[in-house]
Amino acid sequence: MANMISDETIEYVGILAKLALSEEEKEQARKDMGSMLDYIDKLGELETQGVEPMSHVFPVKNVFREDIVTNGDMREEILKNAPGEKDGMFVVPRTFE
């Protein structure tokens, strides 16, 4: 079934998309939109009784691990590598632009 797209619809979609379409582009857009609507109509003919809705083709599960501290507080050992230390923080030379 061919969907008929009016000139007003093409103009309105062009305004929404902030597009200035030439007459040829409007005609191509009309054909493209008609094709899309025909495809949607075809999808509506599919038998979907008993088909579970899904949002992804593959199962989605959380793969993150629990955030558990395993190495403890090693501040003193880490600060031994600093060029300088003050109040438990690294002190480094100032950089200039």
Side-chain angles (χ1 to χ4, degrees), residues 22-64:
S22 67
E23 288 305 316
E24 296 83 26
E25 291 170 326
K26 287 179 185 177
E27 190 55 40
Q28 185 61 48
R30 183 186 326 280
K31 289 177 185 175
D32 292 343
M33 289 172 73
S35 296
M36 287 185 264
L37 293 174
D38 287 342
Y39 184 71
I40 291 169
D41 288 343
K42 183 172 250 176
L43 289 176
E45 298 171 7
L46 292 175
E47 177 57 48
T48 58
Q49 195 70 13
V51 176
E52 289 291 321
M54 62 181 187
S55 60
H56 298 283
V57 177
F58 300 107
V60 177
K61 63 180 180 176
N62 186 353
V63 294
F64 297 117

Side-chain angles (χ1 to χ4, degrees), residues 58-74:
F58 300 107
V60 177
K61 63 180 180 176
N62 186 353
V63 294
F64 297 117
R65 61 173 171 74
E66 290 294 321
D67 190 16
I68 300 170
V69 176
T70 57
N71 58 354
D73 183 13
M74 298 170 43

